[in-house]
Amino acid sequence: MSNSSGYGDWVTIDIDAPEQMHSRGHGQSLPGSAAGEATPQGFDVVELEFTGTRAQAVENGRNRMAMMAACFLAAFCILGFRVLELTLADDLQMQAGAEPVAAADGELVHAGPVHRVMITDRNGEVLATDVSVPSLYVDARKVIEPNATADALLSVLPDLDRDRLIARLTSDRAFQWISRKLGPRQQALVHALGLPGIGFKHEPQRVYPKGHSAAHVLGYVDTDNRGIAGIERGLDTLLAGDGSSPGSGRPVQLALDMRVQHAVEEELAKAMATFSARSAAGVVLDVHTGEVRALVSLPDYDPNAPMDADDDARFNRATRAIYEMGSTFKVFTAAIAMDAGVASMASRYDARKPLKVGGHTIHDFHAEDRILTMAEVVMHSSNIGSASMALDIGVERHRSYLDRLGLLTRPELELPEVAQPLLPPRWKEIETMTISFGHGLAVSPLQLAAAGAALGNGGYRVSPTLLALRDREPERTQVLSGQTASDVLGLMRRVVGEGTGGQADVPGYDVAGKTGTAEKPGRGGYKKNKLITSFLGLFPARAPQYLVLVLLDEPNATKQTYGYATAGWNAAPTAGQVIRRVAPILGVRPVPSQLPGPAIVEAGLVR
């Protein structure tokens, strides 16, 4: 920049020498004693430059002020960044999926809530879902009077521990839970206290709108919505999916039909009350796909408050309990004998006297004392006849067939509560004989049902599943010939039409089945007055679609059963009631019966 006169555009003034001031502008010196006076007319001065000691002091002061301002600015930037960091950390800590933080006393002071997807039955009925509920937390850094705050909270939440509460209020932590999952009234009362540092955070809570129904299938979750039991635990990863994997985030559809489930639960509850049974279990299975349409274990519990029930109610008897199933095993023995080619429908077995093998004697509960045909062995539930068949089959072949039917290994299922079958410690000829009529090998009711499906679907072993198959193909393995399955099915129909299972028959559905009554083992041997009764049924017999298994634990005789507590008097009629109710729901159309109806059941045929 230059002025029009050709002089420079700044003036230098020495303020230490006022009388001999030298000003200099763009290469020229100008006299003067002060800035105003030193500036001659005609000069266009736009800057003044001061020199001298005082001018240097002024300049040094300016520099120090600039440096201090820079320091203050840096300090404010650091503090601002730290505040932002702490704010984001608190928010992230409260987000879903955050890991639990342990307090000094080892107790979890915060765990991020887990959002779980909905569970429905095969018809879309909601069985489990999340709802948002308030939980109470404290930012201890903002609490002004910890003791007064604790007393105020205790006035509306008296269940809190005062010492622990004060410890949290004085911990200087940014976040700690005080009370999880509050009700609306509790939230309103705490809110009205207006306590500094106390706040609410909404988190998901699992609810089960059907209450007790299907409780053992669904299971339950903990306070942080993590699966503890049932399908909630078995499919925990899928149900708590974050959308990062295919299929996650979508509702999980079970194979259960809640209409069928309700019917089975009601009928089993009635049977328990009628026969004063200790417990009961029931299964309805699609014999072609293995889909479980109903799975019941009684007593049960409310998954909305599982800890209100005792361990006995939370125990799943349909999948986790194992029982010696008694005479229901005789249909497998007959199937194995025919499939292995060691017996046919024309085979006969001498049941005129007890069978003695290796120091053991096998009796019939109600001996026929005659030679029995294959059909009569099954219909009259002859232990002697079944043991004789097993001897013909042989130890290894008998065991191999039971394994192929899935009776010797833990079944695959979406529940964690699945029992390993209990096999005899040694398996020789006598074990083969006793297992042939249901003693010496303990399996779960679901395991028996899955094996029984092969008798109704042409000889295919199916894998039971609690998930709706949708477009998936069922897993099937041929383990018996179609002819064998058909022949045994005919025998089972005769058991209902002419034998011990008469009270399970339902007009129009031609039920095929087998009763089973087993004494419970105990100290000192089997207990004659403690029975496990069961009925394994398939319907309709002309082309089975579904299997029904009913089991009662320690049922008692009644006046109506003439003093008998065996399966023909309790499990069979219970299964009949189940079939009568669920067959229309399942779309099975009744047709006129092609086989004789049930005969009057004699007391001697109820084993």
Side-chain angles (χ1 to χ4, degrees):
M1 182 177 180
S2 62
N3 56 48
S4 60
S5 62
Y7 289 99
D9 54 0
W10 73 86
V11 176
T12 300
I13 301 171
D14 186 350
I15 60 175
D16 290 336
E19 294 181 354
Q20 293 182 343
M21 175 69 68
H22 295 285
S23 300
R24 186 175 300 166
H26 202 66
Q28 296 188 29
S29 299
L30 298 173
S33 59
E37 296 174 352
T39 304
Q41 293 182 351
F43 285 86
D44 184 12
V45 179
V46 296
E47 292 187 15
L48 294 177
E49 181 181 6
F50 296 94
T51 61
T53 304
R54 286 187 290 177
Q56 187 61 43
V58 171
E59 185 64 22
N60 290 343
R62 288 179 178 173
N63 292 339
R64 283 195 294 270
M65 291 179 66
M67 186 174 295
M68 291 178 64
C71 291
F72 276 115
L73 179 62
F76 277 117
C77 289
I78 293 172
L79 289 174
F81 177 78
R82 183 56 180 161
V83 169
L84 179 63
E85 184 182 47
L86 291 173
T87 302
L88 292 176
D90 283 352
D91 288 344
L92 290 173
Q93 193 176 27
M94 291 186 286
Q95 293 294 320
E99 294 298 326
V101 178
D105 58 2
E107 183 179 357
L108 294 180
V109 294
H110 172 259
V114 175
H115 294 273
R116 304 176 73 81
V117 300
M118 185 184 299
I119 302 175
T120 73
D121 81 340
R122 65 184 306 106
N123 301 312
E125 279 202 59
V126 177
L127 307 182
T129 189
D130 279 0
V131 296
S132 181
V133 296
S135 288
L136 188 66
Y137 75 92
V138 59
D139 181 350
R141 301 170 304 177
K142 301 177 182 177
V143 175
I144 298 175
E145 297 178 348
N147 290 335
T149 301
D151 291 337
L153 289 174
L154 287 166
S155 67
V156 295
L157 299 172
D159 292 338
L160 296 177
D161 182 274
R162 190 174 190 277
D163 293 338
R164 184 175 298 177
L165 178 57
I166 291 177
R168 292 181 178 179
L169 297 176
T170 57
S171 67
D172 201 33
R173 292 177 182 270
F175 185 95
Q176 288 187 94
W177 290 122
I178 292 180
S179 183
R180 309 283 295 274
K181 314 293 178 62
L182 298 181
R185 182 175 179 275
Q186 291 174 310
Q187 183 188 19
L189 291 174
V190 174
H191 184 74
L193 295 175
L195 299 172
I198 303 298
F200 295 96
K201 176 172 175 56
H202 280 74
E203 56 180 343
Q205 179 175 349
R206 202 63 162 169
V207 295
Y208 304 89
K210 302 298 180 185
H212 286 242
S213 193
H216 287 99
V217 174
L218 296 172
Y220 51 90
V221 299
D222 65 7
T223 305
D224 293 317
N225 247 17
R226 292 179 170 82
I228 296 297
I231 208 89
E232 294 280 22
R233 182 180 176 187
L235 299 180
D236 189 50
T237 302
L238 177 62
L239 290 166
D242 57 2
S244 59
S245 58
S248 63
R250 293 190 305 177
V252 171
Q253 187 177 42
L254 301 186
L256 294 185
D257 186 323
M258 290 307 291
R259 300 169 299 172
V260 178
Q261 180 78 16
H262 286 308
V264 179
E265 289 170 348
E266 287 186 2
E267 294 304 328
L268 286 184
K270 289 179 185 175
M272 280 184 63
T274 301
F275 303 108
S276 304
R278 179 180 175 186
S279 62
V283 178
V284 177
L285 189 76
D286 185 320
V287 299
H288 298 287
T289 66
E291 291 175 291
V292 178
R293 297 300 182 90
L295 190 143
V296 180
S297 174
L298 296 179
D300 56 15
Y301 62 95
D302 185 352
N304 294 297
M307 295 303 110
D308 290 349
D310 57 25
D311 292 341
D312 186 58
R314 292 197 299 270
F315 186 76
N316 189 340
R317 290 170 171 80
T319 62
R320 194 173 183 182
I322 54 174
Y323 305 94
E324 294 184 358
M325 291 293 186
S327 296
T328 50
F329 258 61
K330 287 171 182 166
V331 294
F332 299 120
T333 304
I336 294 170
M338 286 193 282
D339 204 70
V342 300
S344 68
M345 296 297 287
S347 297
R348 295 176 179 275
Y349 298 91
D350 189 352
R352 290 176 294 182
K353 55 185 178 182
L355 189 61
K356 296 184 178 180
V357 176
H360 299 272
T361 302
I362 296 173
H363 301 270
D364 278 344
F365 185 65
H366 286 282
E368 290 291 309
D369 294 331
R370 60 186 176 90
I371 295 176
L372 303 175
T373 65
M374 164 72 82
E376 289 172 329
V377 168
V378 177
M379 290 172 56
H380 294 287
S381 206
S382 169
N383 293 342
I384 297 172
S386 291
S388 299
M389 282 186 214
L391 281 177
D392 294 340
I393 294 169
V395 174
E396 293 305 320
R397 186 159 50 184
H398 184 238
R399 181 168 180 161
S400 175
Y401 264 100
L402 293 177
D403 190 31
R404 291 165 59 183
L405 286 164
L407 291 167
L408 303 186
T409 55
R410 183 178 182 270
E412 296 288 336
L413 195 66
E414 294 81 7
L415 301 182
E417 299 88 7
V418 176
Q420 184 82 20
L422 182 61
L423 279 58
R426 62 169 196 166
W427 196 319
K428 296 187 176 180
E429 198 170 63
I430 184 61
E431 283 76 27
T432 292
M433 296 171 72
T434 60
I435 289 172
S436 74
F437 53 85
H439 285 274
L441 174 63
V443 300
S444 70
L446 180 70
Q447 197 168 13
L448 182 73
L455 303 175
N457 64 17
Y460 292 92
R461 175 183 171 181
V462 295
S463 297
T465 178
L466 288 165
L467 292 178
L469 289 178
R470 293 179 175 167
D471 54 351
R472 290 187 294 124
E473 291 294 327
E475 297 179 12
R476 289 158 53 101
T477 305
Q478 184 98 42
V479 293
L480 299 171
S481 70
Q483 186 59 52
T484 297
S486 177
D487 289 343
V488 175
L489 185 65
L491 291 178
M492 294 172 72
R493 174 57 189 156
R494 293 187 64 178
V495 171
V496 175
E498 307 171 39
T500 58
Q503 296 195 59
D505 204 24
V506 180
Y509 294 107
D510 290 348
V511 178
K514 182 69 183 82
T515 53
T517 303
E519 296 166 354
K520 295 177 71 173
R523 183 173 297 177
Y526 287 93
K527 306 299 180 184
K528 293 185 179 297
N529 60 342
K530 295 183 181 298
L531 303 178
I532 296 292
T533 64
S534 59
F535 182 82
L536 178 69
L538 294 156
F539 72 96
R542 58 186 178 282
Q545 297 180 41
Y546 295 99
L547 177 145
V548 171
L549 176 67
V550 166
L551 180 143
L552 298 174
D553 186 354
E554 296 186 19
N556 291 284
T558 67
K559 182 178 180 181
Q560 288 69 31
T561 65
Y562 305 99
Y564 292 97
T566 44
W569 294 99
N570 47 56
T574 303
Q577 280 299 107
V578 169
I579 294 170
R580 184 174 287 105
R581 290 186 60 177
V582 306
I585 298 173
L586 293 168
V588 181
R589 298 176 63 86
V591 297
S593 177
Q594 299 175 352
L595 295 173
I600 300 298
V601 180
E602 299 179 11
L605 295 179
V606 293
R607 187 169 178 81

mmCIF file of all heavy atoms in Angstrom, residues 135-164:
data_model
loop_
_atom_site.group_PDB
_atom_site.id
_atom_site.type_symbol
_atom_site.label_atom_id
_atom_site.label_comp_id
_atom_site.label_asym_id
_atom_site.label_seq_id
_atom_site.Cartn_x
_atom_site.Cartn_y
_atom_site.Cartn_z
ATOM 1 N N SER A 135 -37.273 -48.498 35.196
ATOM 2 C CA SER A 135 -36.391 -48.953 36.270
ATOM 3 C C SER A 135 -35.714 -47.745 36.884
ATOM 4 O O SER A 135 -35.441 -46.754 36.206
ATOM 5 C CB SER A 135 -35.352 -49.944 35.733
ATOM 6 O OG SER A 135 -35.951 -51.175 35.427
ATOM 7 N N LEU A 136 -35.420 -47.839 38.165
ATOM 8 C CA LEU A 136 -34.893 -46.708 38.919
ATOM 9 C C LEU A 136 -33.376 -46.806 39.019
ATOM 10 O O LEU A 136 -32.843 -47.865 39.362
ATOM 11 C CB LEU A 136 -35.514 -46.703 40.322
ATOM 12 C CG LEU A 136 -35.227 -45.497 41.207
ATOM 13 C CD1 LEU A 136 -35.859 -44.246 40.628
ATOM 14 C CD2 LEU A 136 -35.753 -45.759 42.611
ATOM 15 N N TYR A 137 -32.685 -45.694 38.722
ATOM 16 C CA TYR A 137 -31.234 -45.689 38.851
ATOM 17 C C TYR A 137 -30.796 -44.417 39.562
ATOM 18 O O TYR A 137 -31.578 -43.477 39.744
ATOM 19 C CB TYR A 137 -30.569 -45.790 37.479
ATOM 20 C CG TYR A 137 -30.616 -44.531 36.656
ATOM 21 C CD1 TYR A 137 -29.590 -43.596 36.716
ATOM 22 C CD2 TYR A 137 -31.692 -44.273 35.825
ATOM 23 C CE1 TYR A 137 -29.638 -42.429 35.960
ATOM 24 C CE2 TYR A 137 -31.763 -43.114 35.073
ATOM 25 C CZ TYR A 137 -30.719 -42.182 35.140
ATOM 26 O OH TYR A 137 -30.786 -41.039 34.416
ATOM 27 N N VAL A 138 -29.528 -44.375 39.947
ATOM 28 C CA VAL A 138 -28.981 -43.190 40.617
ATOM 29 C C VAL A 138 -27.677 -42.782 39.940
ATOM 30 O O VAL A 138 -26.855 -43.625 39.568
ATOM 31 C CB VAL A 138 -28.739 -43.466 42.116
ATOM 32 C CG1 VAL A 138 -27.774 -44.615 42.323
ATOM 33 C CG2 VAL A 138 -28.214 -42.207 42.810
ATOM 34 N N ASP A 139 -27.517 -41.491 39.766
ATOM 35 C CA ASP A 139 -26.221 -40.894 39.421
ATOM 36 C C ASP A 139 -25.700 -40.299 40.724
ATOM 37 O O ASP A 139 -26.095 -39.199 41.133
ATOM 38 C CB ASP A 139 -26.410 -39.822 38.344
ATOM 39 C CG ASP A 139 -25.084 -39.192 37.940
ATOM 40 O OD1 ASP A 139 -24.069 -39.445 38.626
ATOM 41 O OD2 ASP A 139 -25.057 -38.452 36.936
ATOM 42 N N ALA A 140 -24.841 -41.068 41.404
ATOM 43 C CA ALA A 140 -24.428 -40.700 42.765
ATOM 44 C C ALA A 140 -23.673 -39.385 42.807
ATOM 45 O O ALA A 140 -23.584 -38.756 43.866
ATOM 46 C CB ALA A 140 -23.572 -41.812 43.369
ATOM 47 N N ARG A 141 -23.164 -38.950 41.687
ATOM 48 C CA ARG A 141 -22.431 -37.673 41.681
ATOM 49 C C ARG A 141 -23.361 -36.487 41.911
ATOM 50 O O ARG A 141 -22.925 -35.408 42.286
ATOM 51 C CB ARG A 141 -21.716 -37.513 40.334
ATOM 52 C CG ARG A 141 -20.725 -38.641 40.019
ATOM 53 C CD ARG A 141 -20.262 -38.545 38.582
ATOM 54 N NE ARG A 141 -21.392 -38.552 37.652
ATOM 55 C CZ ARG A 141 -21.266 -38.425 36.345
ATOM 56 N NH1 ARG A 141 -20.070 -38.319 35.808
ATOM 57 N NH2 ARG A 141 -22.340 -38.440 35.564
ATOM 58 N N LYS A 142 -24.644 -36.700 41.642
ATOM 59 C CA LYS A 142 -25.599 -35.605 41.763
ATOM 60 C C LYS A 142 -26.427 -35.656 43.046
ATOM 61 O O LYS A 142 -27.270 -34.794 43.272
ATOM 62 C CB LYS A 142 -26.530 -35.597 40.555
ATOM 63 C CG LYS A 142 -25.798 -35.447 39.227
ATOM 64 C CD LYS A 142 -26.759 -35.526 38.056
ATOM 65 C CE LYS A 142 -26.028 -35.414 36.732
ATOM 66 N NZ LYS A 142 -26.947 -35.568 35.574
ATOM 67 N N VAL A 143 -26.214 -36.690 43.836
ATOM 68 C CA VAL A 143 -26.988 -36.818 45.082
ATOM 69 C C VAL A 143 -26.449 -35.823 46.107
ATOM 70 O O VAL A 143 -25.245 -35.774 46.371
ATOM 71 C CB VAL A 143 -26.904 -38.254 45.626
ATOM 72 C CG1 VAL A 143 -27.592 -38.359 46.975
ATOM 73 C CG2 VAL A 143 -27.539 -39.226 44.636
ATOM 74 N N ILE A 144 -27.336 -35.044 46.697
ATOM 75 C CA ILE A 144 -26.909 -33.995 47.629
ATOM 76 C C ILE A 144 -26.885 -34.520 49.068
ATOM 77 O O ILE A 144 -25.913 -34.355 49.778
ATOM 78 C CB ILE A 144 -27.861 -32.780 47.514
ATOM 79 C CG1 ILE A 144 -27.780 -32.220 46.095
ATOM 80 C CG2 ILE A 144 -27.487 -31.711 48.547
ATOM 81 C CD1 ILE A 144 -28.778 -31.094 45.826
ATOM 82 N N GLU A 145 -27.953 -35.158 49.475
ATOM 83 C CA GLU A 145 -28.034 -35.671 50.844
ATOM 84 C C GLU A 145 -28.349 -37.173 50.788
ATOM 85 O O GLU A 145 -29.513 -37.574 50.725
ATOM 86 C CB GLU A 145 -29.121 -34.938 51.623
ATOM 87 C CG GLU A 145 -28.842 -33.452 51.784
ATOM 88 C CD GLU A 145 -29.965 -32.749 52.528
ATOM 89 O OE1 GLU A 145 -31.037 -33.373 52.695
ATOM 90 O OE2 GLU A 145 -29.783 -31.601 52.933
ATOM 91 N N PRO A 146 -27.320 -38.005 50.816
ATOM 92 C CA PRO A 146 -27.535 -39.455 50.654
ATOM 93 C C PRO A 146 -28.482 -40.065 51.684
ATOM 94 O O PRO A 146 -29.366 -40.853 51.324
ATOM 95 C CB PRO A 146 -26.127 -40.038 50.780
ATOM 96 C CG PRO A 146 -25.219 -38.906 50.394
ATOM 97 C CD PRO A 146 -25.893 -37.660 50.878
ATOM 98 N N ASN A 147 -28.304 -39.718 52.946
ATOM 99 C CA ASN A 147 -29.157 -40.324 53.977
ATOM 100 C C ASN A 147 -30.617 -39.922 53.808
ATOM 101 O O ASN A 147 -31.524 -40.748 53.908
ATOM 102 C CB ASN A 147 -28.667 -39.926 55.366
ATOM 103 C CG ASN A 147 -27.342 -40.589 55.703
ATOM 104 O OD1 ASN A 147 -27.028 -41.650 55.161
ATOM 105 N ND2 ASN A 147 -26.568 -39.970 56.577
ATOM 106 N N ALA A 148 -30.826 -38.638 53.551
ATOM 107 C CA ALA A 148 -32.203 -38.171 53.364
ATOM 108 C C ALA A 148 -32.806 -38.770 52.098
ATOM 109 O O ALA A 148 -33.990 -39.139 52.066
ATOM 110 C CB ALA A 148 -32.229 -36.641 53.285
ATOM 111 N N THR A 149 -31.976 -38.908 51.062
ATOM 112 C CA THR A 149 -32.459 -39.525 49.818
ATOM 113 C C THR A 149 -32.845 -40.975 50.052
ATOM 114 O O THR A 149 -33.877 -41.453 49.565
ATOM 115 C CB THR A 149 -31.371 -39.424 48.732
ATOM 116 O OG1 THR A 149 -31.057 -38.057 48.508
ATOM 117 C CG2 THR A 149 -31.837 -40.063 47.450
ATOM 118 N N ALA A 150 -32.011 -41.679 50.811
ATOM 119 C CA ALA A 150 -32.309 -43.094 51.095
ATOM 120 C C ALA A 150 -33.611 -43.233 51.872
ATOM 121 O O ALA A 150 -34.454 -44.091 51.554
ATOM 122 C CB ALA A 150 -31.156 -43.718 51.878
ATOM 123 N N ASP A 151 -33.795 -42.401 52.868
ATOM 124 C CA ASP A 151 -35.024 -42.486 53.667
ATOM 125 C C ASP A 151 -36.257 -42.168 52.835
ATOM 126 O O ASP A 151 -37.315 -42.794 52.997
ATOM 127 C CB ASP A 151 -34.936 -41.525 54.852
ATOM 128 C CG ASP A 151 -33.900 -41.968 55.866
ATOM 129 O OD1 ASP A 151 -33.588 -43.180 55.880
ATOM 130 O OD2 ASP A 151 -33.392 -41.110 56.608
ATOM 131 N N ALA A 152 -36.098 -41.205 51.934
ATOM 132 C CA ALA A 152 -37.239 -40.866 51.076
ATOM 133 C C ALA A 152 -37.590 -42.029 50.151
ATOM 134 O O ALA A 152 -38.768 -42.367 49.971
ATOM 135 C CB ALA A 152 -36.914 -39.614 50.267
ATOM 136 N N LEU A 153 -36.571 -42.662 49.584
ATOM 137 C CA LEU A 153 -36.832 -43.805 48.694
ATOM 138 C C LEU A 153 -37.449 -44.974 49.462
ATOM 139 O O LEU A 153 -38.348 -45.661 48.966
ATOM 140 C CB LEU A 153 -35.536 -44.245 48.011
ATOM 141 C CG LEU A 153 -34.985 -43.307 46.939
ATOM 142 C CD1 LEU A 153 -33.629 -43.775 46.446
ATOM 143 C CD2 LEU A 153 -35.960 -43.210 45.764
ATOM 144 N N LEU A 154 -36.964 -45.198 50.665
ATOM 145 C CA LEU A 154 -37.506 -46.301 51.467
ATOM 146 C C LEU A 154 -38.966 -46.067 51.838
ATOM 147 O O LEU A 154 -39.708 -47.021 52.090
ATOM 148 C CB LEU A 154 -36.670 -46.484 52.737
ATOM 149 C CG LEU A 154 -35.288 -47.113 52.511
ATOM 150 C CD1 LEU A 154 -34.416 -46.953 53.743
ATOM 151 C CD2 LEU A 154 -35.445 -48.599 52.158
ATOM 152 N N SER A 155 -39.365 -44.820 51.872
ATOM 153 C CA SER A 155 -40.766 -44.548 52.221
ATOM 154 C C SER A 155 -41.731 -45.042 51.148
ATOM 155 O O SER A 155 -42.898 -45.314 51.442
ATOM 156 C CB SER A 155 -40.963 -43.048 52.442
ATOM 157 O OG SER A 155 -40.800 -42.331 51.218
ATOM 158 N N VAL A 156 -41.247 -45.177 49.912
ATOM 159 C CA VAL A 156 -42.126 -45.665 48.837
ATOM 160 C C VAL A 156 -41.653 -47.021 48.285
ATOM 161 O O VAL A 156 -42.411 -47.705 47.602
ATOM 162 C CB VAL A 156 -42.206 -44.637 47.687
ATOM 163 C CG1 VAL A 156 -42.874 -43.359 48.165
ATOM 164 C CG2 VAL A 156 -40.828 -44.330 47.128
ATOM 165 N N LEU A 157 -40.394 -47.381 48.583
ATOM 166 C CA LEU A 157 -39.877 -48.690 48.165
ATOM 167 C C LEU A 157 -39.298 -49.382 49.399
ATOM 168 O O LEU A 157 -38.076 -49.491 49.569
ATOM 169 C CB LEU A 157 -38.808 -48.534 47.076
ATOM 170 C CG LEU A 157 -39.254 -47.862 45.774
ATOM 171 C CD1 LEU A 157 -38.057 -47.604 44.864
ATOM 172 C CD2 LEU A 157 -40.279 -48.731 45.053
ATOM 173 N N PRO A 158 -40.159 -49.843 50.291
ATOM 174 C CA PRO A 158 -39.680 -50.350 51.579
ATOM 175 C C PRO A 158 -38.861 -51.638 51.483
ATOM 176 O O PRO A 158 -38.194 -52.007 52.455
ATOM 177 C CB PRO A 158 -40.991 -50.592 52.358
ATOM 178 C CG PRO A 158 -42.042 -50.749 51.301
ATOM 179 C CD PRO A 158 -41.630 -49.864 50.173
ATOM 180 N N ASP A 159 -38.902 -52.314 50.348
ATOM 181 C CA ASP A 159 -38.143 -53.559 50.222
ATOM 182 C C ASP A 159 -36.651 -53.328 50.002
ATOM 183 O O ASP A 159 -35.860 -54.279 50.040
ATOM 184 C CB ASP A 159 -38.699 -54.397 49.060
ATOM 185 C CG ASP A 159 -40.099 -54.916 49.357
ATOM 186 O OD1 ASP A 159 -40.452 -55.004 50.554
ATOM 187 O OD2 ASP A 159 -40.839 -55.225 48.400
ATOM 188 N N LEU A 160 -36.254 -52.091 49.746
ATOM 189 C CA LEU A 160 -34.833 -51.817 49.515
ATOM 190 C C LEU A 160 -34.040 -51.973 50.803
ATOM 191 O O LEU A 160 -34.550 -51.714 51.892
ATOM 192 C CB LEU A 160 -34.658 -50.402 48.965
ATOM 193 C CG LEU A 160 -35.267 -50.117 47.587
ATOM 194 C CD1 LEU A 160 -35.070 -48.642 47.231
ATOM 195 C CD2 LEU A 160 -34.618 -50.999 46.526
ATOM 196 N N ASP A 161 -32.791 -52.373 50.663
ATOM 197 C CA ASP A 161 -31.894 -52.494 51.809
ATOM 198 C C ASP A 161 -31.234 -51.135 52.053
ATOM 199 O O ASP A 161 -30.539 -50.610 51.172
ATOM 200 C CB ASP A 161 -30.827 -53.555 51.536
ATOM 201 C CG ASP A 161 -29.910 -53.757 52.722
ATOM 202 O OD1 ASP A 161 -28.921 -52.993 52.834
ATOM 203 O OD2 ASP A 161 -30.187 -54.641 53.538
ATOM 204 N N ARG A 162 -31.411 -50.559 53.237
ATOM 205 C CA ARG A 162 -30.958 -49.187 53.488
ATOM 206 C C ARG A 162 -29.441 -49.054 53.395
ATOM 207 O O ARG A 162 -28.924 -48.126 52.775
ATOM 208 C CB ARG A 162 -31.434 -48.710 54.863
ATOM 209 C CG ARG A 162 -31.216 -47.225 55.086
ATOM 210 C CD ARG A 162 -31.824 -46.745 56.411
ATOM 211 N NE ARG A 162 -31.804 -45.296 56.498
ATOM 212 C CZ ARG A 162 -30.755 -44.590 56.884
ATOM 213 N NH1 ARG A 162 -29.658 -45.222 57.239
ATOM 214 N NH2 ARG A 162 -30.812 -43.260 56.941
ATOM 215 N N ASP A 163 -28.720 -49.984 54.002
ATOM 216 C CA ASP A 163 -27.249 -49.883 53.975
ATOM 217 C C ASP A 163 -26.727 -49.978 52.547
ATOM 218 O O ASP A 163 -25.830 -49.240 52.138
ATOM 219 C CB ASP A 163 -26.639 -50.990 54.834
ATOM 220 C CG ASP A 163 -26.946 -50.790 56.315
ATOM 221 O OD1 ASP A 163 -27.249 -49.636 56.692
ATOM 222 O OD2 ASP A 163 -26.886 -51.777 57.069
ATOM 223 N N ARG A 164 -27.266 -50.907 51.803
ATOM 224 C CA ARG A 164 -26.819 -51.064 50.417
ATOM 225 C C ARG A 164 -27.205 -49.841 49.587
ATOM 226 O O ARG A 164 -26.451 -49.396 48.728
ATOM 227 C CB ARG A 164 -27.436 -52.324 49.817
ATOM 228 C CG ARG A 164 -26.956 -52.632 48.405
ATOM 229 C CD ARG A 164 -27.510 -53.937 47.925
ATOM 230 N NE ARG A 164 -27.058 -55.045 48.764
ATOM 231 C CZ ARG A 164 -27.436 -56.297 48.607
ATOM 232 N NH1 ARG A 164 -28.293 -56.597 47.647
ATOM 233 N NH2 ARG A 164 -26.970 -57.240 49.393
#
